[in-house]
Each structure stands twice: as structure tokens, then as C-alpha cells.
Amino acid sequence: MFSSDDFREFFREYKSEAVVKEHRFYSVLIPLVEREAKMHVLLEKRAAHISQPGEICFPGGRIDAGEPPQAAALRECNEEIGIPIGEIKVLAQGDTLYGQADFTIYSFIAEISEESYERIKIERDEVEELYLIPLSYFVENEPEFYRERYETNIREFPYDKVGIPLDYEWRRGTMRIPIYEYDGIVIWGMTAQFLNRMSSKLREEAHGSDNTINM
């Protein structure tokens, strides 16, 4: 049995931890390619037989146990489009997004040379097609935004035991879902979130300086 002093001693040495159960971690690469003196964003169309078929996304995937997020992003890019990791120049860590469905996505902004881009070998089991879209398009154009409401729906819950009514007001929230459309290519969801956040920062930089950013 613990004494009061035992408790005090225990808590003096207590080490806090971030406890995340049933949480998934992903990492994506935001590849930039310079062509004709303009910067472009490289995007993938997911293969028809995998999850989220046909969606437009960045190279990326789930982080393996013990794997650093940046290493995961580089590995996935290499596996999906065949660019050697040594030819990918990471410019910065991008934003980290947290999804309502218990997942976290890290991002890393990187540059791929035009020569490396020309030698791309698509892994057809994962990627159907690649697109290069001018970065200036995202900087100059805001996405459309749609709001979706999400709510907790708990039916099998011991309402009587905890002393709350069946019509208890569980916590609700809304999601802002951005959508871009460029030359018939529709980009939405988390990919559009990353693009919108990155582009907003570039736009702020352009407005805050006397020089126009060359994109």
C-alpha cells in the first residue's frame, strides 16, 4: 500500500507521455520540378484498384515503426515513381495535418530536377498517372471550400450507467474541404489542404516584399 510520501515521491519522478491509441501516422512528399524557368508541383493519380482510387495525391504513405517521417516520405516517393532518394532535395518540412479519423500526416517540400523527372518510372500497382501543375496556379487561385458537419453517433452506450439521457448532445464539429480544379484535374481533401496552406504562405511572402516571387 502506498503511503502519502510514496505518492509524492512517485509523482516527483513521473514522466509524462503522449498517449495516442489507434492512431495512424503518414508522411507525404510535396515534389517541385522546375521546367521552362517555372516551378511546378508534381502530383499523382492513384491506381484504380487501391484505396481512394483515382484521387489526386502526393507521393507518400504510412510511416513504418521506428521510421522518421522524412525518411518515410522519401521512401514512398522512391517506391511510387522510382526517383532515387539521393536525387531528391528536401527544402523544408511542410505543415502537419491532423485528421478527424485518428491520423496525422507529415509533409516535406522537396525539389526534383528536370533530369530526374524525365527518368521517372511509375509503379503501376500504385500510380496511374502523373501531373505537373504550375505552382503559380495555386498561389494565384483560392480553392472552393465546402463545409461538412461531422458528429458522434454512439448507439450502444450505457447511458443509464453514466446518468445521461439518450438524446445527450455529443460533441460535433465541421470540416472545411478545399477543392481545386486545373485543366480538368480535380484536387481535394488533404492534398488540397497542403497546397492551400503552402500557397497562402507564398502569397503572404509576395505581398510582404517588393519583389515578385518567380514561379
Side-chain angles (χ1 to χ4, degrees), residues 103-116:
F103 63 87
T104 295
I105 305 181
Y106 299 94
S107 71
F108 295 87
I109 303 164
E111 184 173 1
I112 294 169
S113 70
E114 188 171 6
E115 292 76 18
S116 294

Side-chain angles (χ1 to χ4, degrees), residues 26-30 58 69 73 92-97 105-109 194:
Y26 299 88
S27 192
V28 300
L29 198 75
I30 302 177
F58 295 118
Q93 179 167 353
D95 292 324
T96 300
L97 298 184
I105 305 181
Y106 299 94
S107 71
F108 295 87
I109 303 164
F194 281 120

Side-chain angles (χ1 to χ4, degrees), residues 97-100 142-150 173-180 187-194 196-197 200 203:
L97 298 184
Y98 301 93
Q100 285 84 3
E142 289 276 7
E144 300 176 47
F145 279 100
Y146 291 86
R147 283 193 176 274
E148 282 293 326
R149 188 178 184 188
Y150 66 91
T174 58
M175 294 183 291
R176 290 178 78 228
I177 304 174
I179 301 176
Y180 289 101
I187 307 156
W188 69 286
M190 301 299 270
T191 302
Q193 291 272 20
F194 281 120
N196 181 52
R197 291 186 60 81
S200 295
R203 195 158 47 242

Side-chain angles (χ1 to χ4, degrees), residues 169-183:
E169 287 291 324
W170 294 98
R171 189 170 295 177
R172 294 175 171 83
T174 58
M175 294 183 291
R176 290 178 78 228
I177 304 174
I179 301 176
Y180 289 101
E181 184 172 2
Y182 175 84
D183 196 23

Side-chain angles (χ1 to χ4, degrees), residues 22 86 112 132 165 169 215:
E22 299 180 3
I112 294 169
L132 277 182
E169 287 291 324
M215 291 173 288

Side-chain angles (χ1 to χ4, degrees), residues 37-102:
K38 291 185 179 292
M39 200 65 81
H40 294 72
V41 180
L42 176 62
L43 292 155
E44 302 176 350
K45 181 178 181 181
R46 294 173 64 83
H49 60 277
I50 63 175
S51 61
Q52 292 91 47
E55 287 189 13
I56 308 302
C57 65
F58 295 118
R62 196 158 186 170
I63 300 174
D64 291 340
E67 185 179 32
Q70 179 174 311
L74 294 170
R75 172 181 56 75
E76 289 284 349
C77 185
N78 171 255
E79 291 174 358
E80 292 172 16
I81 56 178
I83 296 178
I85 291 174
E87 296 180 18
I88 303 171
K89 181 181 179 181
V90 176
L91 303 177
Q93 179 167 353
D95 292 324
T96 300
L97 298 184
Y98 301 93
Q100 285 84 3
D102 296 326

